[in-house]
Amino acid sequence: DAMVIQNPRYQVTQFGKPVTLSCSQTLNHNVMYWYQQKSSQAPKLLFHYYDKDFNNEADTPDNFQSRRPNTSFCFLDIRSPGLGDAAMYLCATSRDPGTGGAKQPQHFGDGTRLSIL
Amino acid sequence: GDSVTQMEGPVTLSEEAFLTINCTYTATGYPSLFWYVQYPGEGLQLLLKATKADDKGSNKGFEATYRKETTSFHLEKGSVQVSDSAVYFCVSYGSASKIIFGSGTRLSIRP
């Protein structure tokens, strides 16, 4: 089945130690998103790629970076994790939203739960 | 700016009860509207969608109708089950490709 896969499901890192979360997709969607979700809250968009075009949300901290080496893979790098970065990180994909008309739904992975020691 | 206002939770119902979770939106133009469901420890799954006024999305016994006149997209189910316990998000995807999430509604169903 075509899907969005996030690895690992659970990640523990130390305060200040860089960490990378990964996402892969077999849907061949050209848009990929990274969200941060804290307990009992809605997902918060960090950034997204439209093909290779990177779009950062205005309030995403500089501590968060992303790479998309090809259509199938996308990585989230947290350069110096703080205690406040402990959260669930969700990757999602969608087809080209187009310039108008109906928007395509997003397909989410199961997330990576990040803990900071 | 665009926004989505969703019914506050948690909502607790008995099995076989009727469910309504309210959702209203503000947007420039006519966004596409979605309901997503999130089970504990998992990502979000698309539950249903509607892309224009008067469209009705339906899936797994859930329904929602895109009401332009009231700018609403309320989620309904005639008879809920314990397995429907989850968090439900109403989402607007509109102009300028802006995706707006509601705050989420936690639903608990008692056997």
Side-chain angles (χ1 to χ4, degrees):
Chain A
D1 285 341
M3 54 201 310
V4 180
I5 300 167
Q6 291 188 244
N7 285 305
R9 289 296 308 277
Y10 302 92
Q11 176 74 57
V12 180
T13 192
Q14 291 179 328
F15 183 94
K17 185 174 181 182
V19 65
T20 295
L21 310 182
S22 70
C23 176
S24 64
Q25 56 135 338
T26 59
L27 296 160
N28 204 33
H29 287 168
N30 57 339
V31 190
M32 293 187 78
Y33 308 81
W34 278 106
Y35 287 89
Q36 179 193 65
Q37 186 180 28
K38 296 193 175 180
S39 185
S40 301
Q41 296 182 21
K44 178 180 181 298
L45 183 63
L46 296 173
F47 24 60
H48 74 276
Y49 277 92
Y50 186 118
D51 292 320
K52 287 189 175 295
D53 183 20
F54 177 70
N55 298 272
N56 199 30
E57 293 298 299
D59 57 353
T60 298
D62 292 340
N63 199 25
F64 291 85
Q65 305 286 319
S66 185
R67 296 170 282 135
R68 188 179 185 186
N70 53 52
T71 300
S72 300
F73 286 88
C74 197
F75 300 97
L76 169 62
D77 302 307
I78 308 176
R79 291 192 297 190
S80 182
L83 296 178
D85 298 328
M88 173 80 92
Y89 290 87
L90 295 167
C91 174
T93 72
S94 70
R95 285 201 199 105
D96 185 346
T99 55
K103 302 300 186 186
Q104 299 296 323
Q106 294 176 301
H107 298 255
F108 285 83
D110 280 337
T112 294
R113 183 166 296 283
L114 178 67
S115 300
I116 314 294
L117 298 180
Chain B
D2 293 9
S3 67
V4 173
T5 301
Q6 195 174 332
M7 182 173 170
E8 290 275 337
V11 173
T12 302
L13 296 172
S14 296
E15 205 165 21
E16 299 183 3
F18 184 86
L19 169 71
T20 300
I21 301 178
N22 290 338
C23 172
T24 58
Y25 67 90
T26 59
T28 305
Y30 303 106
S32 295
L33 300 172
F34 306 89
W35 277 100
Y36 286 86
V37 58
Q38 186 175 31
Y39 299 102
E42 297 184 11
L44 280 70
Q45 299 176 27
L46 178 66
L47 183 58
L48 52 83
K49 67 177 183 179
T51 58
K52 61 183 188 296
D54 301 325
D55 265 3
K56 178 188 279 189
S58 61
N59 186 25
K60 298 181 182 179
F62 290 89
E63 292 183 341
T65 301
Y66 191 142
R67 303 278 188 205
K68 186 178 71 172
E69 62 277 12
T70 54
T71 62
S72 65
F73 192 54
H74 304 322
L75 182 68
E76 296 182 335
K77 186 175 185 182
S79 176
V80 292
Q81 306 300 314
V82 172
S83 57
D84 294 326
S85 299
V87 180
Y88 292 80
F89 291 97
C90 182
V91 178
S92 163
Y93 191 175
S95 60
S97 298
K98 196 72 175 173
I99 301 172
I100 309 292
F101 280 76
S103 56
T105 301
R106 182 175 299 278
L107 174 66
S108 295
I109 308 300
R110 292 187 299 250

